[in-house]
Amino acid sequence: LGELDFLIEYKDEVLPIEIKSGKAYERHAALNNCLENERYDIKKAFVFCNENVKQKEKIVYYPIYMIMFIKKEEVVDEMIYKPDFSLLM
């Protein structure tokens, strides 16, 4: 019933995203079905809409312009230091 707009990896978890432009931004059957399915174990979802920031259960609503602040976290590999003693000889 319906379709999700986007699925992304966010903080090592699957994050469904919906983009809503009208006043019915709280109606999202596909997103609700996805969040209710225990097999998916989805902890939160984002809905970008023409309203202010708010949270309702697992769904966080953001104004559409805030989509630019979603970014992939940079993973910093362990730094391995190799000492260079060649100048000591």
Side-chain angles (χ1 to χ4, degrees):
L1 300 170
E3 60 187 45
L4 295 172
D5 291 334
F6 300 97
L7 284 174
I8 65 170
E9 180 183 347
Y10 183 74
K11 297 186 179 182
D12 295 327
E13 294 189 6
V14 173
L15 177 73
I17 296 177
E18 285 284 306
I19 312 296
K20 298 290 189 179
S21 60
K23 294 184 187 259
Y25 65 94
E26 290 186 339
R27 281 199 323 212
H28 29 67
L31 183 60
N32 291 341
N33 290 337
C34 181
L35 291 172
E36 290 170 3
N37 191 324
E38 293 178 13
R39 292 185 314 162
Y40 298 150
D41 191 33
I42 295 178
K43 299 189 180 15
K44 76 164 73 170
F46 291 169
V47 172
F48 289 91
C49 57
N50 292 325
E51 297 296 323
N52 291 322
V53 177
K54 72 176 183 177
Q55 183 167 358
K56 194 172 186 182
E57 297 178 16
K58 293 182 175 182
I59 301 173
V60 183
Y61 296 88
Y62 289 108
I64 290 175
Y65 69 85
M66 291 184 76
I67 200 164
M68 69 181 169
F69 296 109
I70 294 181
K71 70 177 195 175
K72 187 168 178 72
E73 288 188 338
E74 294 179 29
V75 178
V76 179
D77 292 335
E78 282 188 44
M79 298 183 83
I80 299 174
Y81 295 95
K82 286 185 169 183
D84 181 7
F85 299 115
S86 62
L87 295 174
L88 296 176
M89 302 200 160

